[in-house]
Amino acid sequence: MDGHHSPLSGPLGELLPELNEHLGSLAVLLHQYLKHGWFTFETPALQQKNYQNVLADMNHLGTFIVRLGGVPPAGMLEQTNVSYLEPEAEGRHTLFNMLESNLYLETVHGSRLRLTLETAQELCEINCVETVQTLISSSEKRATTITTLQGRRKE
């Protein structure tokens, strides 16, 4: 059984592939924040905060998927394959471009999470609703951090 298909039937079985996509997308974000931490010396504490926040979200979501009876994508290749976020091109980027890229990915991630939230609410899956609301809140906090960093760069 692969991570794309749910052993469950019913509403949770419908949500599991979406949750796996969110987990894969969090992995793309995690690696991007990690890479950006290597290249930014001006804002390491805030970049590190976002990295740690994404890692915590991944652990939370992966554990939730397992509790549902699913198999979360755990390998880097599998995570990238199920992700709806495109990894950033390799190479050096300006701080401005890194922040823009991170904000864009967080915006896409938040939008997709909101679609899953709507589905979970329609299916009356309260545990999934709570989990996805937590992930949305985390993504919004990271986006706020990025916006703060952008403001500092403009001054």
Side-chain angles (χ1 to χ4, degrees):
M1 169 179 22
D2 67 31
H4 295 292
H5 302 292
S6 168
L8 304 173
S9 59
L12 289 176
E14 292 177 39
L15 288 167
L16 215 43
E18 288 182 44
L19 296 175
N20 282 337
E21 290 174 1
H22 295 311
L23 186 61
S25 298
L26 282 167
V28 169
L29 278 167
L30 181 79
H31 288 99
Q32 185 158 309
Y33 282 122
L34 176 64
K35 180 177 84 172
H36 291 176
W38 296 337
F39 287 108
T40 56
F41 305 105
E42 300 169 17
T43 59
L46 291 173
Q47 293 281 37
Q48 182 68 14
K49 179 180 172 184
N50 279 356
Y51 173 85
Q52 290 170 344
N53 183 271
V54 171
L55 185 58
D57 281 355
M58 286 183 72
N59 286 328
H60 180 77
L61 183 55
T63 301
F64 182 70
I65 291 169
V66 169
R67 284 186 308 179
L68 293 178
V71 178
M76 290 173 51
L77 184 57
E78 182 65 17
Q79 290 170 339
T80 302
N81 286 340
V82 300
S83 173
Y84 45 79
L85 298 178
E86 189 70 29
E88 182 178 68
E90 291 296 321
R92 288 185 174 268
H93 302 276
T94 65
L95 180 57
F96 176 81
N97 288 341
M98 286 187 261
L99 293 173
E100 285 293 310
S101 177
N102 291 346
L103 187 58
Y104 173 76
L105 292 184
E106 290 291 0
T107 301
V108 171
H109 182 59
S111 295
R112 292 291 296 265
L113 285 168
R114 283 179 185 78
L115 293 175
T116 300
L117 178 62
E118 288 175 17
T119 302
Q121 288 170 331
E122 289 170 7
L123 297 171
C124 298
E125 290 297 335
I126 190 66
N127 290 330
C128 190
V129 166
E130 291 172 355
T131 296
V132 174
Q133 285 174 329
T134 298
L135 296 173
I136 290 170
S137 176
S138 292
S139 182
E140 289 172 347
K141 288 177 186 173
R142 290 189 302 268
T144 298
T145 299
I146 295 164
T147 303
T148 300
L149 288 171
Q150 288 175 320
R152 288 183 184 174
R153 293 297 300 161
K154 292 176 184 174
E155 294 173 353

